[in-house]
Amino acid sequence: MTNTHHGISITKKPASSRGQADMGWLKSAHSFSFGSYFDPENIQFETLRVINDDLVAPGSGFPTHPHQNFEIFSYVQSGALEHRDSMGNGSVVSAGGVQYMSAGAGVQHSEFNASDKDPVKFLQIWLVPAEQNTRPRYDTLQFDPDDRNGRLKLFLSPDGRANSLQINSHTNVYAAQIDGDQTLEYELTRDQPAYIHVVSGTLTINGETFSEGDAAQVRGHGLLELAKGKTAEIILFEFLPN
């Protein structure tokens, strides 16, 4: 359903509308067409191609496989995620961390649950690159406890400003945690699109309630107000002109 108010159009994408996959060791919800889930009207939104909400069982994971010409990051919610790739990188990112890979001209990698006791829950997100066939890169970051508390924290950007990771995409990516009487305002300064994914909890976006797994596709010009959070965590994508 789409609501328009003061020049801003918000289309709500309910969590229940996502594609589902259950492989035993992996339970996943797909915000966009992926794998066996295909909807020709839900391929991508601007540069955002994949949001997979993944839960991986202890000791399991994705064996080595190739990627090319996507900006890929994993946003870890709980547990720990182990990464290895053909560039020689290896790392373990725990809750509150992000691992980022620019696949560029081609790379192979694996992602596994680093624990043999506890599951790992994370969002796997793909962005369309600004340039094709660039040199692959890999990096990680760990949020400080207060980075996202009641404010939008930029953590991926084309220019790497404000200690964000520099990415090859016309996209700024923010994270925020909103609880109690905290209110965030986000200004769309031009007729630009944005996308908000609710990682956890509940909140209102311009007065409409959104819950875990819900998303908002935003277009127009004006002010977004994020409020009434109940342990809410969101990722906001700001799509820039090419």
Side-chain angles (χ1 to χ4, degrees):
M1 186 173 73
T2 300
N3 289 324
T4 301
H5 185 68
H6 291 312
I8 294 181
S9 171
I10 300 176
T11 300
K12 185 175 183 178
K13 306 290 288 185
S16 59
S17 68
R18 298 179 296 179
Q20 302 290 326
D22 188 346
M23 303 179 185
W25 64 272
L26 168 68
K27 292 179 173 61
S28 185
H30 303 152
S31 296
F32 299 95
S33 294
F34 190 91
S36 60
Y37 165 60
F38 178 72
D39 178 352
E41 296 184 358
N42 189 34
I43 302 296
Q44 69 184 64
F45 185 78
E46 300 297 325
T47 61
L48 183 55
R49 176 60 187 87
V50 170
I51 300 182
N52 289 349
D53 191 344
D54 289 342
L55 181 69
V56 177
S60 299
F62 303 90
T64 301
H65 58 283
H67 286 290
Q68 187 174 5
N69 287 323
F70 273 109
E71 302 292 287
I72 300 170
F73 70 94
S74 297
Y75 187 96
V76 183
Q77 297 171 251
S78 62
L81 186 65
E82 182 175 2
H83 167 97
R84 296 186 182 278
D85 63 44
S86 55
M87 295 178 282
N89 298 300
S91 67
V92 175
V93 174
S94 57
V98 173
Q99 66 175 25
Y100 157 73
M101 186 176 70
S102 181
V107 66
Q108 296 195 24
H109 82 134
S110 63
E111 285 183 305
F112 275 87
N113 187 340
S115 172
D116 58 4
K117 297 179 180 179
D118 302 310
V120 59
K121 181 173 173 57
F122 63 100
L123 295 172
Q124 181 184 162
I125 299 173
W126 300 11
L127 298 167
V128 175
E131 297 182 40
Q132 299 278 310
N133 299 320
T134 57
R135 182 177 180 178
R137 293 183 293 116
Y138 177 77
D139 208 342
T140 65
L141 68 81
Q142 191 76 28
F143 288 109
D144 291 333
D146 293 330
D147 273 349
R148 299 164 290 175
N149 183 19
R151 69 189 188 100
L152 286 166
K153 168 62 177 176
L154 178 70
F155 67 96
L156 299 174
S157 69
D159 55 7
R161 71 186 185 280
N163 296 317
S164 60
L165 296 181
Q166 187 172 7
I167 63 171
N168 173 30
S169 182
H170 297 299
T171 317
N172 289 322
V173 189
Y174 301 82
Q177 295 171 328
I178 307 164
D179 199 27
D181 60 359
Q182 293 175 326
T183 298
L184 289 180
E185 292 185 344
Y186 170 76
E187 181 79 23
L188 281 78
T189 57
R190 55 187 177 272
D191 289 333
Q192 66 185 56
Y195 187 99
I196 299 172
H197 180 85
V198 182
V199 179
S200 61
T202 63
L203 78 161
T204 61
I205 302 174
N206 283 15
E208 184 175 3
T209 299
F210 286 73
S211 301
E212 180 175 340
D214 292 344
Q217 296 178 349
V218 185
R219 297 187 184 276
H221 177 94
L223 191 67
L224 281 178
E225 183 182 80
L226 285 64
K228 297 182 181 179
K230 296 180 180 179
T231 60
E233 184 171 355
I234 61 102
I235 299 177
L236 186 151
F237 302 83
E238 178 184 64
F239 305 105
L240 305 173
N242 293 346

